[in-house]
């Protein structure tokens, strides 16, 4: 039943772009249902911005989003589009908007998704609103991104399982979590699992200071098993305390394990959690946050707003200027850093 209200837009598109995240489907569902509730047409755009360029679209009804709130992934598929980075590519995308009579687009993804949306809106008369969705939780303007809670709980469940066998064998485990440029997930998961040490991309690590000393302290305290959580983008300090031949190639986690083996005489096991963290049924927090953000995105477009990002700030959800939002840098949570320092520093 459509509400009797005036809308600034008649027909909107919705797409997902970049790395997928659990909860994206809940956001897509909320956009469709909130739009239909307001009497606004919705067009699903498959495969991110490339779907707009190629006209890979379909009209969406509530039937298309039935039973997806609890599903990971995205029914709209996702893709990264180099063509859309060009003016010509965006012209083709806008041609599709014009043919379809699209007044607005809701783009669910990360910073790159929003930058593309902003470029399109600057070059063509189309309103755009972004919804932050990435398990890295590394969008500076929003304190929370869809998918983060689910990914963290997935990683925590995996690490709890690894802890059991590490305790049985009295071993050291190195667990690599996602986070190419951002250590938010590693830091949060490291606290939640009581890690011996946590290594993040934002702070290049020194083996002695950031790993060896913490393992030695744990040993002195009688511990016989150790867990090091490493973000996939974590790097050694350039002036690392050991020659490069000690650190082989391989993943960030493997590099740390190689040093632990050669310097501490332990026999570590490496687990790279990888894309397990990107799937699975979204948590309650992700379902509700995604639904709220999808609703707010439609409200923003319906009320004539454009170039906005729906963000989680100070415990609530609001919309901010997209250009301003893109200028905000992601930083690690200082409180969590302080807590981790205390938790891993105790002897
Ligand atoms: O952006 C989220 C993310 O999962 C990163 O943590 C990870 O490095 C990247 O996507 C992996 O991208 P892809 O799925 O294209 O390999």
């Amino acid at each position: 039943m459509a509400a009797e209200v005036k809308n600034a837009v008649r027909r909107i598109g919705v797409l997902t772009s970049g790395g997928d995240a659990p909860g994206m489907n809940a956001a897509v569902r909320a956009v469709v249902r909130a739009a239909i509730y307001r009497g606004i047409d919705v067009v699903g755009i498959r495969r991110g911005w490339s779907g707009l360029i190629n006209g890979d679209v379909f009209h969406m009804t509530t039937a298309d989003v039935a039973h997806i709130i609890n599903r990971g992934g995205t029914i709209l598929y996702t893709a990264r589009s180099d063509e859309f980075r060009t003016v010509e590519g965006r012209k083709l995308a806008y041609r599709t908007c014009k043919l379809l009579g699209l007044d607005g687009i809701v783009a669910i993804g990360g910073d790159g998704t929003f930058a593309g949306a902003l470029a399109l809106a600057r070059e063509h008369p189309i309103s755009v609103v972004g919804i932050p969705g990435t398990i890295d939780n590394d969008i500076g303007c929003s304190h929370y991104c869809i998918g983060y809670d689910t990914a963290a709980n997935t990683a925590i469940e995996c690490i709890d399982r690894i802890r059991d066998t590490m305790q049985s064998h009295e071993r050291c485990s190195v667990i690599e979590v996602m986070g190419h440029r951002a250590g938010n997930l590693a830091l949060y998961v490291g606290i939640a699992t009581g890690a011996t040490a946590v290594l993040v991309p934002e702070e290049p690590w020194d083996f002695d200071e950031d790993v060896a000393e913490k393992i030695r302290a744990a040993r002195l305290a009688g511990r016989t098993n150790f867990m090091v959580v490493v973000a996939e983008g974590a790097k050694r300090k350039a002036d690392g305390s050991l020659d490069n031949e000690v650190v082989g190639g391989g993943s960030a986690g493997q590099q740390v394990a190689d040093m632990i083996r050669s310097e501490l005489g332990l026999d570590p096991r490496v687990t790279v959690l990888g894309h397990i963290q990107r799937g699975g049924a979204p948590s309650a927090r992700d379902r509700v946050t995604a639904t709220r953000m999808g609703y707010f995105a439609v409200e923003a477009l319906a009320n004539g707003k454009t170039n906005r990002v729906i963000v989680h700030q100070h415990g609530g959800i609001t919309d901010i200027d997209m250009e301003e939002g893109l200028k905000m840098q992601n930083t690690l949570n200082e409180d969590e850093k302080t807590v981790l320092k205390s938790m891993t520093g105790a002897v």
Side-chain angles (χ1 to χ4, degrees), residues 19-20 80 134-136 178-180 232 275 278:
D20 71 325
R80 296 177 170 103
T134 168
I135 69 162
D136 290 353
M178 278 192 157
H180 198 55
E232 63 181 317
H275 285 68
R278 282 259 290 273

Side-chain angles (χ1 to χ4, degrees), residues 132-178:
T134 168
I135 69 162
D136 290 353
N137 200 36
D138 62 346
I139 297 174
C141 59
S142 185
H143 297 162
Y144 188 80
C145 299
I146 295 167
Y148 184 56
D149 183 59
T150 305
N153 282 299
T154 299
I156 289 162
E157 184 190 342
C158 293
I159 294 172
D160 284 352
R161 291 168 184 268
I162 293 167
R163 175 198 286 278
D164 289 346
T165 180
M166 287 303 125
Q167 283 178 332
S168 305
H169 290 264
E170 299 181 288
R171 273 176 179 157
C172 174
S173 175
V174 178
I175 300 106
E176 185 179 306
V177 300
M178 278 192 157

Side-chain angles (χ1 to χ4, degrees), residues 226-286:
F226 318 96
M227 278 198 318
V228 179
V229 173
V230 183
E232 63 181 317
K235 302 250 184 307
R236 279 179 70 205
K237 269 189 186 136
D239 60 350
S241 51
L242 287 160
D243 299 336
N244 279 327
E245 67 265 14
V246 167
V247 181
S251 71
Q254 190 57 58
Q255 292 182 34
V256 177
D258 290 345
M259 281 198 171
I260 289 171
R261 177 173 285 104
S262 64
E263 293 308 303
L264 301 182
L266 295 174
D267 181 22
R269 293 295 186 273
V270 180
T271 303
V272 178
L273 297 183
H275 285 68
I276 285 174
Q277 299 158 100
R278 282 259 290 273
S283 66
R285 179 175 186 184
D286 279 328

Side-chain angles (χ1 to χ4, degrees), residues 187-248:
L187 178 55
Y188 192 68
V189 165
I191 292 171
T193 55
T196 311
V198 178
L199 305 178
V200 295
E202 294 86 347
E203 297 171 0
W205 47 271
D206 173 87
F207 181 72
D208 284 333
E209 183 182 334
D210 299 315
V211 182
E213 280 175 24
K214 296 183 187 306
I215 291 177
R216 288 190 189 109
R219 270 173 147 172
L220 283 173
R223 298 286 294 274
T224 58
N225 64 87
F226 318 96
M227 278 198 318
V228 179
V229 173
V230 183
E232 63 181 317
K235 302 250 184 307
R236 279 179 70 205
K237 269 189 186 136
D239 60 350
S241 51
L242 287 160
D243 299 336
N244 279 327
E245 67 265 14
V246 167
V247 181

Side-chain angles (χ1 to χ4, degrees), residues 101-121:
L102 290 188
D103 312 298
I105 292 175
V106 176
I108 305 165
D111 281 333
T113 305
F114 301 162
L118 197 55
L120 180 70

